[in-house]
Coordinates of all heavy atoms in Angstrom, one line a residue:
A1 N -14.3 -17.0 7.0 CA -12.9 -16.9 6.9 C -12.5 -15.6 6.1 O -13.4 -15.1 5.3 CB -12.3 -18.1 6.2
K2 N -11.3 -15.2 6.2 CA -10.8 -14.0 5.5 C -9.6 -14.4 4.6 O -8.8 -15.2 5.1 CB -10.5 -12.9 6.4 CG -11.6 -12.4 7.2 CD -12.5 -11.4 6.5 CE -13.5 -10.8 7.4 NZ -14.6 -10.1 6.6
Y3 N -9.6 -13.8 3.4 CA -8.5 -14.1 2.5 C -8.0 -12.7 2.0 O -8.8 -11.8 1.9 CB -8.9 -14.9 1.4 CG -9.5 -16.3 1.8 CD1 -10.8 -16.4 2.2 CD2 -8.7 -17.4 1.9 CE1 -11.3 -17.6 2.7 CE2 -9.2 -18.6 2.3 CZ -10.5 -18.7 2.7 OH -11.0 -19.9 3.2
S4 N -6.7 -12.7 1.6 CA -6.1 -11.4 1.2 C -5.1 -11.6 0.1 O -4.4 -12.6 0.1 CB -5.5 -10.6 2.4 OG -5.0 -9.4 2.0
W5 N -4.9 -10.6 -0.8 CA -3.8 -10.5 -1.7 C -3.5 -9.1 -1.9 O -4.3 -8.2 -1.7 CB -4.0 -11.3 -3.0 CG -5.0 -10.7 -3.9 CD1 -6.4 -10.8 -3.7 CD2 -4.8 -10.0 -5.1 NE1 -7.0 -10.1 -4.8 CE2 -6.1 -9.7 -5.6 CE3 -3.7 -9.7 -5.8 CZ2 -6.2 -9.0 -6.9 CZ3 -3.8 -9.0 -7.0 CH2 -5.1 -8.6 -7.5
V6 N -2.3 -8.8 -2.5 CA -1.9 -7.4 -2.8 C -1.8 -7.3 -4.3 O -1.2 -8.1 -5.0 CB -0.6 -7.1 -2.2 CG1 -0.1 -5.7 -2.6 CG2 -0.7 -7.2 -0.6
D7 N -2.4 -6.2 -4.8 CA -2.3 -5.9 -6.3 C -1.0 -5.1 -6.4 O -0.9 -4.0 -6.1 CB -3.5 -5.1 -6.7 CG -3.4 -4.8 -8.2 OD1 -2.4 -5.1 -8.9 OD2 -4.5 -4.4 -8.8
K8 N 0.0 -5.8 -6.9 CA 1.4 -5.2 -7.1 C 1.4 -4.2 -8.2 O 2.3 -3.4 -8.3 CB 2.4 -6.3 -7.4 CG 2.6 -7.2 -6.2 CD 3.9 -8.1 -6.4 CE 4.1 -9.0 -5.2 NZ 5.4 -9.6 -5.2
D9 N 0.4 -4.2 -9.1 CA 0.3 -3.2 -10.1 C 0.1 -1.8 -9.6 O 0.4 -0.8 -10.2 CB -0.7 -3.6 -11.2 CG -0.3 -4.8 -12.0 OD1 0.9 -5.1 -12.1 OD2 -1.2 -5.4 -12.6
T10 N -0.6 -1.7 -8.4 CA -0.9 -0.4 -7.9 C -0.1 -0.2 -6.6 O -0.1 1.0 -6.1 CB -2.4 -0.3 -7.6 OG1 -2.8 -1.4 -6.7 CG2 -3.2 -0.4 -8.9
C11 N 0.5 -1.2 -6.0 CA 1.3 -1.0 -4.7 C 2.4 0.0 -5.0 O 3.1 -0.2 -6.1 CB 1.8 -2.3 -4.3 SG 3.0 -2.2 -2.9
I12 N 2.7 0.9 -4.1 CA 3.8 1.9 -4.3 C 4.9 1.6 -3.4 O 5.8 2.5 -3.2 CB 3.3 3.3 -4.2 CG1 2.6 3.5 -2.8 CG2 2.3 3.7 -5.3 CD1 2.3 5.0 -2.5
A13 N 4.9 0.4 -2.8 CA 6.0 0.0 -1.9 C 6.3 1.0 -0.7 O 7.4 1.4 -0.4 CB 7.3 -0.2 -2.7
C14 N 5.2 1.5 -0.1 CA 5.3 2.5 0.9 C 5.7 1.9 2.3 O 6.2 2.6 3.1 CB 4.0 3.2 1.1 SG 2.7 2.3 2.0
G15 N 5.5 0.6 2.4 CA 6.0 -0.1 3.6 C 5.0 -0.1 4.8 O 5.3 -0.6 5.9
A16 N 3.8 0.4 4.6 CA 2.9 0.5 5.7 C 2.3 -0.8 6.1 O 2.2 -1.1 7.3 CB 1.7 1.5 5.3
C17 N 1.9 -1.6 5.2 CA 1.2 -2.8 5.5 C 2.0 -3.8 6.3 O 1.5 -4.5 7.3 CB 0.6 -3.5 4.3 SG 1.7 -3.9 3.0
G18 N 3.3 -4.0 5.9 CA 4.2 -4.9 6.6 C 4.4 -4.4 8.1 O 4.7 -5.3 8.9
A19 N 4.4 -3.1 8.3 CA 4.6 -2.6 9.6 C 3.4 -2.8 10.5 O 3.4 -3.1 11.7 CB 4.9 -1.1 9.6
T20 N 2.2 -2.7 9.8 CA 0.9 -2.9 10.5 C 0.6 -4.3 10.8 O 0.1 -4.7 11.9 CB -0.2 -2.2 9.7 OG1 0.1 -0.9 9.5 CG2 -1.5 -2.4 10.4
A21 N 0.8 -5.2 9.8 CA 0.5 -6.6 9.9 C 1.6 -7.5 9.4 O 1.5 -8.1 8.3 CB -0.8 -6.8 9.0
P22 N 2.7 -7.5 10.1 CA 3.9 -8.3 9.7 C 3.7 -9.8 9.6 O 4.5 -10.4 8.9 CB 4.9 -8.0 10.8 CG 4.1 -7.6 12.0 CD 2.9 -6.9 11.4
D23 N 2.6 -10.3 10.2 CA 2.4 -11.8 10.0 C 1.7 -12.1 8.7 O 1.6 -13.2 8.3 CB 1.5 -12.3 11.2 CG 2.2 -12.2 12.5 OD1 3.4 -12.4 12.5 OD2 1.5 -11.9 13.5
I24 N 1.2 -11.0 8.1 CA 0.4 -11.2 6.8 C 1.2 -10.7 5.6 O 1.2 -11.4 4.6 CB -1.0 -10.5 6.9 CG1 -1.8 -11.0 8.1 CG2 -1.8 -10.8 5.6 CD1 -3.0 -10.2 8.4
Y25 N 1.8 -9.5 5.7 CA 2.4 -8.9 4.6 C 3.9 -8.8 4.7 O 4.4 -8.4 5.8 CB 1.8 -7.5 4.3 CG 0.3 -7.5 4.2 CD1 -0.5 -7.2 5.2 CD2 -0.3 -8.0 3.0 CE1 -1.9 -7.3 5.1 CE2 -1.6 -8.1 2.9 CZ -2.4 -7.7 3.9 OH -3.8 -7.8 3.8
D26 N 4.6 -9.0 3.6 CA 6.0 -8.8 3.6 C 6.3 -8.2 2.2 O 5.3 -8.0 1.4 CB 6.8 -10.1 3.8 CG 8.2 -9.8 4.3 OD1 8.7 -8.7 4.2 OD2 8.9 -10.8 4.7
Y27 N 7.6 -8.1 1.8 CA 7.9 -7.4 0.6 C 8.8 -8.2 -0.3 O 9.6 -9.0 0.2 CB 8.6 -6.0 0.9 CG 7.8 -5.2 1.8 CD1 8.2 -5.1 3.2 CD2 6.6 -4.6 1.5 CE1 7.4 -4.4 4.1 CE2 5.8 -3.9 2.4 CZ 6.2 -3.8 3.7 OH 5.5 -3.1 4.6
D28 N 8.6 -8.0 -1.6 CA 9.5 -8.8 -2.6 C 10.8 -7.9 -2.8 O 11.0 -6.9 -2.1 CB 8.7 -9.0 -3.9 CG 8.4 -7.8 -4.7 OD1 9.0 -6.7 -4.4 OD2 7.6 -7.9 -5.6
D29 N 11.6 -8.3 -3.7 CA 12.9 -7.7 -3.9 C 12.8 -6.2 -4.3 O 13.7 -5.4 -4.1 CB 13.7 -8.4 -4.9 CG 14.2 -9.8 -4.4 OD1 14.1 -10.0 -3.2 OD2 14.6 -10.6 -5.3
E30 N 11.6 -5.9 -4.9 CA 11.4 -4.5 -5.3 C 10.7 -3.7 -4.3 O 10.3 -2.5 -4.5 CB 10.6 -4.5 -6.6 CG 11.3 -5.2 -7.8 CD 10.5 -5.2 -9.1 OE1 9.2 -5.1 -9.0 OE2 11.1 -5.4 -10.1
G31 N 10.4 -4.3 -3.1 CA 9.7 -3.6 -2.1 C 8.2 -3.6 -2.2 O 7.5 -3.0 -1.4
L32 N 7.7 -4.3 -3.2 CA 6.3 -4.4 -3.3 C 5.7 -5.4 -2.4 O 6.3 -6.5 -2.1 CB 5.9 -4.8 -4.8 CG 6.4 -3.8 -5.9 CD1 6.1 -4.4 -7.2 CD2 5.7 -2.5 -5.7
A33 N 4.6 -5.1 -1.8 CA 4.0 -6.0 -0.8 C 3.4 -7.2 -1.4 O 2.9 -7.3 -2.5 CB 2.9 -5.2 0.0
E34 N 3.3 -8.3 -0.5 CA 2.7 -9.6 -0.9 C 2.3 -10.3 0.3 O 2.8 -10.1 1.4 CB 3.7 -10.4 -1.8 CG 5.0 -10.7 -1.1 CD 6.0 -11.3 -2.0 OE1 5.8 -11.3 -3.2 OE2 7.0 -11.8 -1.5
V35 N 1.3 -11.1 0.2 CA 0.8 -11.9 1.3 C 1.7 -13.1 1.5 O 1.8 -13.9 0.6 CB -0.7 -12.3 1.1 CG1 -1.1 -13.3 2.2 CG2 -1.6 -11.1 1.1
I36 N 2.3 -13.2 2.7 CA 3.2 -14.3 3.0 C 2.6 -15.2 4.1 O 3.2 -16.2 4.4 CB 4.6 -13.8 3.5 CG1 4.5 -12.7 4.6 CG2 5.3 -13.1 2.3 CD1 4.4 -13.2 6.0
Y37 N 1.4 -14.9 4.5 CA 0.8 -15.7 5.6 C 0.7 -17.1 5.2 O 0.1 -17.5 4.2 CB -0.6 -15.1 5.9 CG -1.3 -15.8 7.0 CD1 -0.9 -15.6 8.4 CD2 -2.2 -16.7 6.7 CE1 -1.6 -16.3 9.4 CE2 -2.9 -17.4 7.7 CZ -2.5 -17.2 9.1 OH -3.2 -17.9 10.0
D38 N 1.2 -18.0 6.1 CA 1.0 -19.5 5.9 C 1.5 -19.9 4.5 O 0.9 -20.8 3.9 CB -0.4 -19.8 6.1 CG -0.6 -21.4 6.4 OD1 0.4 -22.0 6.6 OD2 -1.8 -21.8 6.3
G39 N 2.5 -19.3 3.9 CA 3.0 -19.6 2.6 C 2.1 -19.3 1.5 O 2.1 -20.0 0.5
D40 N 1.2 -18.3 1.7 CA 0.2 -18.0 0.7 C 0.8 -17.7 -0.7 O 0.1 -18.0 -1.7 CB -0.7 -16.8 1.2 CG -1.8 -16.5 0.2 OD1 -2.8 -17.3 0.2 OD2 -1.7 -15.6 -0.5
G41 N 1.9 -17.0 -0.7 CA 2.5 -16.7 -2.0 C 1.7 -15.6 -2.8 O 1.8 -15.5 -4.0
N42 N 0.9 -14.8 -2.1 CA 0.1 -13.8 -2.6 C -1.0 -14.3 -3.6 O -1.5 -13.6 -4.5 CB 1.0 -12.7 -3.4 CG 0.3 -11.4 -3.4 OD1 -0.4 -10.9 -2.5 ND2 0.4 -10.7 -4.6
H43 N -1.4 -15.5 -3.4 CA -2.5 -16.1 -4.2 C -3.8 -15.8 -3.6 O -4.9 -16.0 -4.2 CB -2.3 -17.6 -4.3 CG -1.1 -18.0 -5.1 ND1 -0.9 -17.7 -6.4 CD2 0.1 -18.7 -4.7 CE1 0.3 -18.2 -6.8 NE2 0.9 -18.8 -5.8
G44 N -3.9 -15.5 -2.3 CA -5.1 -15.2 -1.6 C -6.0 -16.4 -1.3 O -7.2 -16.4 -1.4
V45 N -5.3 -17.5 -1.0 CA -6.0 -18.8 -0.8 C -5.9 -19.3 0.7 O -6.6 -20.2 1.0 CB -5.4 -19.9 -1.7 CG1 -5.8 -19.5 -3.2 CG2 -4.0 -20.1 -1.6
K46 N -5.0 -18.7 1.5 CA -4.8 -19.2 2.8 C -5.8 -18.4 3.8 O -5.8 -17.2 3.8 CB -3.4 -19.0 3.3 CG -2.4 -19.8 2.5 CD -2.5 -21.3 2.8 CE -1.4 -22.1 2.2 NZ -1.4 -23.5 2.6
A47 N -6.6 -19.2 4.5 CA -7.5 -18.5 5.5 C -6.7 -17.9 6.6 O -5.9 -18.6 7.3 CB -8.5 -19.6 6.0
I48 N -6.9 -16.6 6.8 CA -6.1 -15.9 7.8 C -6.8 -16.1 9.2 O -8.0 -16.0 9.3 CB -6.1 -14.4 7.5 CG1 -5.2 -14.3 6.2 CG2 -5.5 -13.6 8.6 CD1 -5.3 -13.0 5.5
A49 N -6.0 -16.3 10.2 CA -6.5 -16.6 11.6 C -7.2 -15.4 12.1 O -6.9 -14.2 11.9 CB -5.3 -16.9 12.5
E50 N -8.3 -15.7 12.8 CA -9.2 -14.7 13.3 C -8.5 -13.7 14.2 O -8.8 -12.5 14.3 CB -10.3 -15.3 14.1 CG -11.6 -15.6 13.3 CD -12.7 -16.1 14.1 OE1 -13.1 -15.4 15.1 OE2 -13.2 -17.2 13.8
D51 N -7.5 -14.1 14.9 CA -6.8 -13.1 15.8 C -6.0 -12.1 15.0 O -5.4 -11.2 15.6 CB -5.9 -13.9 16.9 CG -4.8 -14.7 16.3 OD1 -4.8 -14.8 15.0 OD2 -4.0 -15.2 17.0
L52 N -5.9 -12.3 13.7 CA -5.2 -11.3 12.9 C -6.2 -10.4 12.1 O -5.7 -9.6 11.3 CB -4.3 -12.0 11.9 CG -3.1 -12.8 12.5 CD1 -2.3 -13.5 11.4 CD2 -2.1 -11.8 13.2
Y53 N -7.5 -10.6 12.3 CA -8.4 -9.8 11.6 C -8.3 -8.3 11.8 O -8.5 -7.5 10.9 CB -9.9 -10.2 11.9 CG -10.3 -11.5 11.3 CD1 -9.4 -12.3 10.5 CD2 -11.6 -11.9 11.4 CE1 -9.9 -13.5 10.0 CE2 -12.1 -13.1 10.8 CZ -11.2 -13.9 10.1 OH -11.6 -15.0 9.5
D54 N -8.0 -7.9 13.0 CA -7.8 -6.4 13.3 C -6.6 -5.9 12.5 O -6.7 -4.8 11.9 CB -7.6 -6.2 14.8 CG -8.9 -6.3 15.6 OD1 -9.9 -6.4 14.9 OD2 -8.8 -6.3 16.8
D55 N -5.5 -6.6 12.5 CA -4.3 -6.2 11.7 C -4.6 -6.2 10.3 O -4.2 -5.3 9.5 CB -3.1 -7.3 11.9 CG -2.5 -7.1 13.3 OD1 -2.9 -6.2 14.1 OD2 -1.5 -7.9 13.6
L56 N -5.4 -7.2 9.8 CA -5.8 -7.3 8.4 C -6.5 -6.0 8.0 O -6.2 -5.4 7.0 CB -6.6 -8.5 8.2 CG -7.1 -8.8 6.8 CD1 -6.0 -9.2 5.9 CD2 -8.1 -10.0 6.9
Q57 N -7.5 -5.7 8.8 CA -8.4 -4.5 8.4 C -7.6 -3.2 8.6 O -7.7 -2.3 7.7 CB -9.6 -4.5 9.4 CG -10.7 -3.5 8.9 CD -11.2 -3.8 7.5 OE1 -11.6 -5.0 7.3 NE2 -11.1 -2.9 6.6
D58 N -6.7 -3.1 9.6 CA -5.9 -1.9 9.8 C -5.0 -1.7 8.6 O -4.8 -0.6 8.1 CB -5.1 -2.0 11.0 CG -5.9 -1.8 12.3 OD1 -7.1 -1.4 12.1 OD2 -5.5 -2.1 13.4
A59 N -4.4 -2.8 8.1 CA -3.5 -2.7 6.9 C -4.2 -2.3 5.7 O -3.8 -1.4 4.9 CB -2.8 -4.0 6.7
C60 N -5.4 -2.8 5.5 CA -6.2 -2.5 4.4 C -6.6 -1.0 4.4 O -6.5 -0.3 3.4 CB -7.5 -3.4 4.3 SG -8.5 -3.2 2.9
D61 N -7.1 -0.6 5.6 CA -7.5 0.8 5.7 C -6.3 1.8 5.6 O -6.5 2.9 5.1 CB -8.1 1.0 7.1 CG -9.4 0.3 7.3 OD1 -10.0 -0.1 6.3 OD2 -9.9 0.2 8.5
G62 N -5.1 1.3 5.9 CA -4.0 2.2 5.9 C -3.3 2.2 4.5 O -2.3 3.0 4.3
C63 N -3.6 1.4 3.6 CA -3.0 1.4 2.3 C -3.4 2.6 1.5 O -4.6 2.8 1.2 CB -3.3 0.1 1.5 SG -2.6 0.0 -0.1
P64 N -2.4 3.4 1.1 CA -2.8 4.6 0.4 C -3.3 4.4 -1.0 O -3.8 5.4 -1.6 CB -1.5 5.4 0.4 CG -0.4 4.4 0.5 CD -1.0 3.3 1.3
T65 N -3.1 3.2 -1.6 CA -3.5 3.0 -3.0 C -4.6 1.9 -3.1 O -4.8 1.5 -4.2 CB -2.3 2.6 -3.8 OG1 -1.7 1.4 -3.2 CG2 -1.2 3.7 -3.8
D66 N -5.2 1.5 -2.0 CA -6.2 0.5 -2.0 C -5.7 -0.8 -2.7 O -6.5 -1.4 -3.4 CB -7.5 1.0 -2.6 CG -8.2 2.1 -1.8 OD1 -8.1 2.0 -0.6 OD2 -8.8 3.0 -2.4
S67 N -4.5 -1.1 -2.5 CA -3.9 -2.3 -3.2 C -4.2 -3.6 -2.4 O -4.0 -4.7 -3.0 CB -2.4 -2.1 -3.4 OG -2.1 -1.0 -4.2
I68 N -4.6 -3.5 -1.2 CA -4.8 -4.7 -0.4 C -6.3 -5.1 -0.5 O -7.2 -4.4 -0.2 CB -4.5 -4.4 1.1 CG1 -3.0 -4.1 1.3 CG2 -5.0 -5.6 2.0 CD1 -2.6 -3.8 2.7
K69 N -6.4 -6.3 -1.1 CA -7.7 -6.9 -1.3 C -8.1 -7.9 -0.2 O -7.2 -8.7 0.2 CB -7.8 -7.6 -2.7 CG -7.1 -6.8 -3.8 CD -7.8 -5.4 -4.0 CE -7.1 -4.7 -5.1 NZ -7.6 -3.3 -5.3
I70 N -9.3 -7.9 0.2 CA -9.8 -8.8 1.3 C -11.2 -9.3 0.9 O -12.0 -8.5 0.4 CB -9.9 -8.1 2.6 CG1 -8.6 -7.5 3.1 CG2 -10.5 -9.0 3.7 CD1 -8.7 -6.7 4.4
A71 N -11.4 -10.6 1.1 CA -12.7 -11.2 0.8 C -12.9 -12.4 1.8 O -12.0 -12.8 2.4 CB -12.8 -11.6 -0.6
D72 N -14.2 -12.8 1.8 CA -14.6 -13.9 2.7 C -14.3 -15.3 2.0 O -14.5 -16.3 2.6 CB -16.0 -13.8 3.1 CG -16.3 -12.5 3.9 OD1 -15.4 -12.0 4.5 OD2 -17.5 -12.1 3.9
E73 N -14.1 -15.2 0.7 CA -13.8 -16.4 -0.1 C -12.4 -16.4 -0.6 O -11.9 -15.3 -0.9 CB -14.8 -16.6 -1.2 CG -16.3 -16.5 -0.8 CD -16.7 -17.8 -0.1 OE1 -16.1 -18.8 -0.3 OE2 -17.7 -17.7 0.7
P74 N -11.8 -17.6 -0.9 CA -10.4 -17.6 -1.5 C -10.5 -16.9 -2.9 O -11.4 -17.1 -3.6 CB -10.1 -19.1 -1.6 CG -11.1 -19.8 -0.8 CD -12.3 -18.9 -0.6
F75 N -9.4 -16.2 -3.2 CA -9.3 -15.5 -4.5 C -8.9 -16.5 -5.6 O -9.3 -16.3 -6.7 CB -8.3 -14.3 -4.4 CG -8.8 -13.2 -3.6 CD1 -8.5 -13.0 -2.3 CD2 -9.6 -12.2 -4.2 CE1 -9.0 -11.9 -1.6 CE2 -10.1 -11.1 -3.5 CZ -9.8 -10.9 -2.2
N76 N -8.1 -17.5 -5.2 CA -7.6 -18.4 -6.2 C -6.9 -17.7 -7.4 O -7.1 -18.1 -8.5 CB -8.7 -19.3 -6.7 CG -9.1 -20.3 -5.6 OD1 -8.3 -20.8 -4.9 ND2 -10.4 -20.5 -5.5
R77 N -6.1 -16.8 -7.0 CA -5.3 -16.1 -8.1 C -4.2 -17.0 -8.6 O -3.6 -17.7 -8.0 CB -4.8 -14.8 -7.6 CG -5.8 -13.8 -7.2 CD -5.1 -12.5 -6.8 NE -4.3 -12.0 -7.8 CZ -3.0 -12.0 -7.8 NH1 -2.3 -12.6 -6.9 NH2 -2.3 -11.5 -8.8
Ligands
SF4_1 FE1 1.9 -1.4 -1.1 FE2 -0.4 -0.6 0.1 FE3 1.4 -2.1 1.4 FE4 2.0 0.4 0.9 S1 0.3 -0.3 2.3 S2 3.3 -1.4 0.6 S3 1.0 0.7 -1.1 S4 0.1 -2.7 -0.4

């Protein structure tokens, strides 16, 4: 399984990830990205569906600040 969260301390609110993977990433009131998939709340605990893995990787690769974290285990943040 794959899990993800966004480090808002380094996110620059560029808007790329939500455009690339709108089912996984959305933005808070300040425009900073967060994982909204399956009600994750940016905790990195919801297993992302396999059909979204390409979007997940594309968003991660496209983040200019490497703020998108991905792992095979839940982050439990
Ligand atoms: Fe933030 Fe990276 Fe998403 Fe841009 S692509 S909004 S820097 S997490």
Side-chain angles (χ1 to χ4, degrees):
K2 298 281 188 193
Y3 303 83
S4 179
W5 69 285
V6 175
D7 186 346
K8 293 192 184 195
D9 289 341
T10 56
C11 172
I12 57 171
C14 75
C17 56
T20 301
D23 294 324
I24 305 172
Y25 304 101
D26 202 350
Y27 309 102
D28 66 16
D29 291 344
E30 296 178 341
L32 299 173
E34 55 192 11
V35 172
I36 50 87
Y37 180 80
D38 196 17
D40 185 76
N42 206 39
H43 295 295
V45 295
K46 295 289 187 176
I48 294 167
E50 269 187 55
D51 61 354
L52 293 176
Y53 283 6
D54 285 349
D55 284 358
L56 180 67
Q57 194 59 54
D58 287 348
C60 185
D61 292 344
C63 178
T65 58
D66 292 328
S67 299
I68 294 178
K69 314 303 180 185
I70 299 175
D72 298 335
E73 305 287 336
F75 287 95
N76 289 320
R77 293 184 59 257

